[in-house]
Amino acid sequence: MNFHRYRLTYAKHNKARYIGHLDLQTIFQRAVSRAGIRARYSEGFNPHPILSFAAPLSVGMSALADIVDVDIVEQLNCADIIERINQALPAGLNVHKCEEIAISSKSAAARLRKARYSMEIKYEMKGAKDMGALSLEPKDSCASQASQALYAAQAVELFNKSKSEISGLVYEIHADGETPGKITAIVACGGFGNLKPSRLAEELCGLTNVTLCPFSTEYTREELELAE
Amino acid sequence: MNGPFHGSAREARKITLSYPHEILMRVQKPARYTGGEFGSFYKDSYNTRFCLCFPDVYEIGMSWSGMDILYSMLNEESGIYCERAFAPWTDMEAVLRERQLPLTSLETGTPLADFDIIGFSLNHELVYTNVLNILDLAGLPLLAAERGDDCPIICAGGPSVCNPAPMADFIDFFFIGEAEAGFTDIMKKYQKGIKKDDFLRSICDIQGIYVPKFNNSVKKACVADLNTAFLPKSFLVPNLVSTQDRAAVEIFRGCKRGCRFCQAGNIYKPVRERSIDTIESYAKYCLEKTGYDEVTLLSLSTADYSRFPELAERMLSVGDNISLSLPSLRVDAFALNVMRRISGGRKSGLTFAPEAGSQRLRDIIGKNLTEDEIIEGCRLAYRGGWTRIKLYAMLGLPFETDEDVVALAELAEKVANAFFRLPKDERGHGLQINLSASCFVPKPHTPFQFVPQVTQDELRRKQQLVKRSIRSKQIKFSYHSADGSVLEGALARGGTETGRAILAAFKRGARFDSWSELFNYGIWQEAYEEAGLDLEAQALKSFEYTDILPWDNIFAGADKTLLIREMEKARELSQI
C-alpha cells in the first residue's frame, strides 16, 4: 500500500501532563481517527493506526516538543494535518509542527540520543549543607553566579567520573543562578542510554545534601535530539 | 463562547487544574481527577451550575452509558453548565483530608459546594457510602434537613432509586425513571436565589420526582419512543484508557422476558425498540465522533431484538477496522455464524446464563432457557471450534433445594460431556468451563421482592456443595462473597431507617463497598447495630402481600398486583 510518513512535533502540558504513555498512544490513535486522517493500519485481530513515538514521558512531566511519526495513506498538506489533529486532541495536547519525511528514514525512536530538560527542583534542607558541589541556593553576588556555573560543570564531570549508574549519561547542566533549583540539563535519552530527569534531580540533591521533594518538583522536556 | 472546545480554540483558554500539581503527583492515576478529555464542555455564561457526580472511580463512571446522555443533554442547554466529579480513590481522599482541600469538579476545579445542584447516579446499593463521602469532602452537611438555602440542592437518580427510602435522609429530591424524559426541564425550573423548599415544591408534581420531605407518590418518568428520545451529539472520550472504551448504542429498552428475580427487566418496562436505521446511523456517528474502534449493542437481551438477524447483518458492515461486540447473545447456529464473522476467526468465550441448575428452578424463577438449548448451543459451538464456555448462575434462589444446587454442578458436567462425546476431529482442544455463581438478592419492584434472602452460612454451604459436586478438572467454579450480597440485600429492601446505618457505616470508614479489597463487613454489622437494626435480619426479612413496602409509593413499571400474581405462579411451580 502506498503511504506517506509525517513527523509531528507536539506539546503535552497542563491537564495532559497526567496522561500515561500507553494511554497517550491510544489517545493519539483515536484523535487521528476522529480527525478523518486515513492512517495506515496494523494487521491482525485488532487493527489500529500505526503511530511511532520517539520516547515515553513519565506521568506528570510536560513536553514542549515531543515527536511522533504517523503513516498516512494519502498525501496531505502539513498545515492541514496540524489543524485537523489539533481539533481532535484533548486539552493540553497540541501539535505545532508537521513535516513529511522519507519512508526509508529510520524511526525517531531509533535516532533519539539526547533530551534537554528544564527542572524546577523543590527541596528541603537536611542538617549541615555540603559546600562541595552544585549549590541550589541563590547567590547574592555575580561572582557566585559564575561559581554556580562552574559547580554545574563540575557536577557533570563528577557524575561522569563516578562509577554510579548515571555515569556517562549527563552531557550538560546549567544552573539558572537566580532561582534556586532551576536547572537545565541535557541527558541521554532513548535506547542507547536513558536518564530520567527525576533521577538526575535526586543525584543533584545528593551532591548538595538537600532532600528532593519528588511531588512538587516540575520537569519539562524541552527538546529531543535525534542523530543523523 | 459556550460549547465543547477542542484543539486550538480551547488551547487559547485558561484551563484550570482541579488540584495543584503537587497534590496530583501524590496519587495513583492522577488523570482520574484532571478532566480535559476530548468532548469536555467549557462555558463562560450559564444560569445553573450542575455537578454530575458518579459515586465510583473515574474509569467506571466514564464507561457508564448514562454519562454521555446526561452530560450532553444538559450542556446543550445554554442556561445550564454540567460538570463532573467522581468518587476519589482512598489515596486521593487521604490527601484531600490531610490538606483540608474540597472535592472539585473536573472541568473547572470548582469546589462542589459552589454548585447550584449536585446530582448522583446510583447504579447499585453498594455506592451509598461513597455518596456520603463526596458530600463530606464537599464540606456539606450530610443530612438534607441540616443543609440550608446556602447549600446546593442534592438529587439522585439511577436504577437503585426505585427504592429511595434508604437514601431519603441525605437527598433533597429523587428523579425516578429515565433522564431523557424530563430531567432537563427540572433543571430549567431552577432560578438563582430560589429557596430550596420553593424549588422542591415547584417540581414535586412532575412525573418522576420524589421529594422525601413531602413523601409524595410518584410514577416513573419514561420516554414513549426510543427513536425520538434524546441521543448525545458529543461524547466524552476518557483520558484513562480502559478496555471498556467503545461506542455503545442502545437497541431497545425493557425486556421481553419475565425473569422473576430481575430488577432491570421490571423497572425498564415497557419494551421499546430503536429502529435498525437509527441504530446503524447512530453507531457510525458515534464511531466517527469518538475515534473508537469498537461498537457494542446495549440492551438486556440482544437476541430478543425483533429483527435481530437483519440488525446483525447491517452492523457487521458498519465500518472498516471496526469490531462489533454483541453481549448476551442466545447461542444458536445463526449467532455462531455472526460471531465467527465478527471475530475474524478468533474464538472468544461463549456465555450462557442458565441462572439455575435444574429445569424446575429455572421454571420457578421464570428463566426461559432449557437444558437442551444450552447443550445444543454448546455442541454447535464446540463443532465451530469454540472451547471456552462461561456459565452464569445464582445460588440462594427462592424455593431452592439441595437437588437444585447439585444440579448446577451437573449442568456444568453435561456441558463438559457434550465436548468429550464429540469425535476428536470435530472439536478443538483445551476445554475450559467457567461456572460463576452470584448470590441471589431480592430486589424491590420484582415478584421476588417479598421473599427472604438466605443466610451467609447457607450461601456458603451451597457454594461448597456445588464445589464438591464438580468432578471434571475442566470446570472452574467461582462465586461471589456472601457478606457483600447480604449487605446489598439489606440496603436494597431497606426502609428510611436504613439511612442511619449508612451514615454510621460511612463514619466508621466504609467506602467503595463493591470493591472486595475495601469492603469490610464488620463495619456494617457495627453500623447497623448502632442504628438499632440487625443487618442480617434486614436481609432475611420477608414481606406479606398486605404489608406496605418502603417503595410502595413508587410506581416503577410493574403493578404490585402483577408482582403478587407472578410470585404466586412461582410458588405454584415450586409445589409441582
Side-chain angles (χ1 to χ4, degrees):
Chain A
M1 187 195 276
N2 255 338
F3 61 91
H4 300 265
R5 182 163 292 165
Y6 294 87
R7 176 153 295 166
L8 310 179
T9 308
Y10 63 93
K12 178 176 184 275
H13 54 100
N14 201 294
K15 294 191 172 199
R17 283 165 77 173
Y18 305 97
I19 297 172
H21 185 65
L22 285 175
D23 290 349
L24 185 73
Q25 295 179 359
T26 311
I27 285 168
F28 256 98
Q29 283 168 8
R30 289 174 183 164
V32 164
S33 168
R34 284 194 294 268
I37 291 172
R38 297 198 299 137
R40 190 163 67 103
Y41 272 71
S42 64
E43 313 263 320
F45 289 138
N46 290 307
H48 52 83
I50 302 171
L51 294 170
S52 167
F53 287 82
L57 187 65
S58 302
V59 169
M61 294 188 187
S62 305
L64 300 182
D66 268 8
I67 291 168
V68 59
D69 295 341
V70 56
D71 293 348
I72 303 177
V73 299
E74 58 193 333
Q75 191 158 30
L76 294 173
N77 176 298
C78 282
D80 194 37
I81 293 176
I82 293 178
E83 166 73 20
R84 277 157 73 179
I85 203 158
N86 279 343
Q87 288 292 325
L89 282 169
L93 282 174
N94 202 313
V95 173
H96 50 75
K97 193 176 156 200
C98 171
E99 55 182 336
E100 186 170 355
I101 57 170
I103 289 176
S104 58
S105 54
K106 266 203 277 179
S107 74
R111 286 175 48 199
L112 180 63
R113 294 293 183 278
K114 297 175 184 175
R116 188 177 75 236
Y117 293 91
S118 66
M119 309 183 252
E120 285 179 48
I121 300 173
K122 301 287 187 315
Y123 55 91
E124 282 165 356
M125 297 298 170
K126 58 171 181 191
K129 250 187 358 168
D130 179 3
M131 303 304 287
L134 176 69
S135 173
L136 294 166
E137 283 294 280
K139 293 291 189 306
D140 300 329
S141 65
C142 294
S144 324
Q145 272 186 34
S147 67
Q148 274 210 72
L150 184 68
Y151 287 141
Q154 283 176 350
V156 175
E157 224 171 276
L158 213 86
F159 287 141
N160 289 340
K161 258 192 220 151
S162 73
K163 289 268 190 286
S164 87
E165 53 186 297
I166 76 165
S167 152
L169 300 177
V170 186
Y171 298 105
E172 285 175 35
I173 301 176
H174 302 279
D176 176 270
E178 296 282 333
T179 319
K182 208 166 171 188
I183 305 278
T184 303
I186 298 176
V187 297
C189 188
F192 294 91
N194 193 65
L195 178 61
K196 283 189 173 184
S198 48
R199 183 83 181 81
L200 178 60
E202 271 171 35
E203 291 289 333
L204 288 170
C205 287
L207 279 183
T208 41
N209 204 26
V210 296
T211 310
L212 178 71
C213 301
F215 303 127
S216 42
T217 293
E218 308 219 13
Y219 306 92
T220 302
R221 184 150 73 194
E222 295 182 333
E223 201 183 349
L224 295 173
E225 193 183 311
L226 307 184
E228 283 314 307
Chain B
M1 249 172 100
N2 288 343
F5 279 85
H6 309 311
S8 48
R10 188 209 49 244
E11 292 300 333
R13 304 170 58 82
K14 181 172 164 29
I15 294 169
T16 327
L17 271 182
S18 46
Y19 299 100
H21 174 71
E22 177 257 341
I23 298 290
L24 290 167
M25 291 310 289
R26 283 173 191 270
V27 298
Q28 50 163 319
K29 303 188 186 177
R32 282 172 168 168
Y33 310 100
T34 55
E37 305 91 333
F38 179 83
S40 302
F41 269 80
Y42 298 92
K43 289 191 179 186
D44 289 331
S45 62
Y46 37 78
N47 300 318
T48 307
R49 295 192 82 172
F50 179 79
C51 190
L52 177 56
C53 287
F54 192 87
D56 210 319
V57 290
Y58 175 89
E59 300 92 306
I60 292 184
M62 290 294 283
S63 60
W64 163 57
S65 62
M67 176 67 75
D68 275 320
I69 296 178
L70 279 159
Y71 191 74
S72 169
M73 187 174 78
L74 293 172
N75 278 320
E76 276 180 30
E77 288 295 327
S78 59
I80 303 170
Y81 185 18
C82 170
E83 301 183 42
R84 291 163 297 149
F86 299 87
W89 189 244
T90 49
D91 56 351
M92 187 56 151
E93 182 192 345
V95 176
L96 293 179
R97 290 195 184 280
E98 186 197 321
R99 303 298 179 89
Q100 296 184 304
L101 288 169
L103 190 67
T104 65
S105 67
L106 267 60
E107 278 75 5
T108 61
T110 304
L112 261 55
D114 293 348
F115 282 82
D116 298 313
I117 304 176
I118 295 175
F120 288 95
S121 172
L122 307 182
N123 287 357
H124 59 84
E125 294 81 5
L126 299 183
V127 297
Y128 289 169
T129 52
N130 282 359
V131 172
L132 301 197
N133 196 30
I134 289 172
L135 290 175
D136 194 52
L137 288 167
L140 296 168
L142 303 181
L143 294 169
E146 290 175 7
R147 288 191 302 263
D149 288 325
D150 56 331
C151 292
I153 292 167
I154 311 297
C155 66
S160 63
V161 307
C162 70
N163 174 17
M167 290 296 282
D169 283 353
F170 316 108
I171 305 292
D172 295 312
F173 76 90
F174 292 89
F175 184 86
I176 290 151
E178 301 165 1
E180 304 97 320
F183 191 68
T184 312
D185 293 335
I186 311 283
M187 292 298 105
K188 281 156 84 174
K189 283 195 177 292
Y190 181 85
Q191 299 297 330
K192 276 262 182 287
I194 193 170
K195 294 251 181 280
K196 188 192 286 185
D197 279 359
D198 292 341
F199 175 71
L200 294 176
R201 249 188 297 276
S202 77
I203 61 165
C204 80
D205 291 330
I206 298 173
Q207 190 167 345
I209 298 294
Y210 173 66
V211 180
K213 202 169 183 173
F214 307 146
N215 197 23
N216 56 313
S217 286
V218 46
K219 186 170 185 278
K220 74 160 177 181
C222 175
V223 297
D225 181 356
L226 216 53
N227 289 308
T228 51
F230 175 85
L231 279 171
K233 290 181 191 63
S234 68
F235 307 90
L236 286 157
V237 183
N239 274 353
L240 267 180
V241 173
S242 88
T243 50
Q244 297 295 310
D245 295 347
R246 56 194 160 199
V249 184
E250 192 178 18
I251 58 172
F252 67 94
R253 210 168 277 184
C255 186
K256 289 174 181 168
R257 294 165 184 265
C259 301
R260 298 190 177 97
F261 57 86
C262 178
Q263 190 180 45
N266 281 288
I267 65 173
Y268 288 112
K269 285 177 180 185
V271 175
R272 289 147 291 163
E273 285 197 351
R274 194 163 265 154
S275 75
I276 293 184
D277 285 344
T278 311
I279 295 168
E280 186 188 22
S281 63
Y282 191 61
K284 284 179 178 162
Y285 178 81
C286 293
L287 290 165
E288 188 188 307
K289 291 284 173 188
T290 57
Y292 290 148
D293 55 12
E294 185 178 348
V295 61
T296 186
L297 301 181
L298 292 182
S299 73
L300 291 169
S301 168
T302 311
D304 284 337
Y305 186 80
S306 61
R307 290 150 66 204
F308 178 66
E310 190 188 340
L311 175 65
E313 208 53 58
R314 293 264 288 273
M315 292 303 293
L316 278 168
S317 52
V318 82
D320 295 337
N321 299 315
I322 297 296
S323 61
L324 174 65
S325 91
L326 297 171
S328 56
L329 264 194
R330 200 178 314 123
V331 177
D332 56 21
F334 176 78
L336 289 176
N337 187 27
V338 170
M339 290 180 65
R340 191 175 293 116
R341 286 165 63 192
I342 287 174
S343 59
R346 186 180 35 162
K347 301 285 190 299
S348 54
L350 279 183
T351 304
F352 294 86
E355 306 295 358
S358 69
Q359 194 59 49
R360 172 191 164 285
L361 193 52
R362 279 196 296 275
D363 290 341
I364 290 171
I365 64 176
K367 180 72 195 189
N368 187 4
L369 181 66
T370 65
E371 192 169 296
D372 283 351
E373 284 172 317
I374 297 169
I375 301 298
E376 196 42 47
C378 287
R379 282 161 52 90
L380 278 170
Y382 295 149
R383 282 214 172 94
W386 274 269
T387 55
R388 279 189 296 141
I389 306 284
K390 271 187 238 165
L391 296 171
Y392 286 129
M394 281 182 284
L395 287 172
L397 284 160
F399 311 111
E400 185 177 71
T401 64
D402 278 4
E403 285 78 54
D404 297 318
V405 174
V406 172
L408 185 57
E410 283 165 0
L411 178 64
E413 294 289 349
K414 286 174 193 163
V415 167
N417 283 343
F419 181 82
F420 293 113
R421 286 223 182 96
L422 283 176
K424 273 193 176 152
D425 56 351
E426 286 180 33
R427 55 169 165 88
H429 54 87
L431 176 68
Q432 198 184 320
I433 296 167
N434 287 306
L435 173 62
S436 167
S438 61
C439 305
F440 165 71
V441 176
K443 289 282 173 105
H445 302 286
T446 68
F448 288 167
Q449 66 182 0
F450 304 102
V451 304
Q453 206 168 341
V454 301
T455 63
Q456 285 106 313
D457 286 347
E458 184 62 1
L459 282 169
R460 289 188 195 109
R461 191 186 66 80
K462 286 168 191 265
Q463 289 166 345
Q464 290 310 308
L465 187 52
V466 175
K467 207 173 174 182
R468 280 201 313 273
S469 308
I470 291 170
R471 293 176 308 275
S472 303
K473 61 179 192 311
Q474 291 85 2
I475 302 171
K476 268 206 223 135
F477 177 53
S478 60
Y479 44 89
H480 287 197
S481 138
D483 287 342
S485 305
V486 164
L487 173 62
E488 188 185 335
L491 292 172
R493 293 193 302 154
T496 48
E497 70 285 353
T498 308
R500 298 200 305 269
I502 298 170
L503 180 59
F506 162 70
K507 286 188 172 161
R508 287 167 185 271
R511 309 279 189 276
F512 290 100
D513 296 300
S514 62
W515 293 70
S516 56
E517 65 264 50
L518 294 178
F519 176 60
N520 184 332
Y521 188 68
I523 285 184
W524 279 96
Q525 279 179 312
E526 291 164 17
Y528 266 79
E529 223 166 274
E530 190 185 321
L533 299 166
D534 182 328
L535 170 52
E536 272 109 44
Q538 291 281 315
L540 300 183
K541 71 187 166 194
S542 54
F543 289 114
E544 300 296 327
Y545 295 151
T546 48
D547 284 347
I548 293 179
L549 307 180
W551 53 91
D552 269 355
N553 56 335
I554 312 287
F555 178 79
D559 202 57
K560 195 173 177 184
T561 53
L562 175 87
L563 299 179
I564 292 173
R565 204 159 62 229
E566 283 296 314
M567 181 63 217
E568 278 308 302
K569 267 190 215 161
R571 192 185 305 282
E572 280 160 29
L573 286 164
S574 76
Q575 284 154 1
I576 295 172

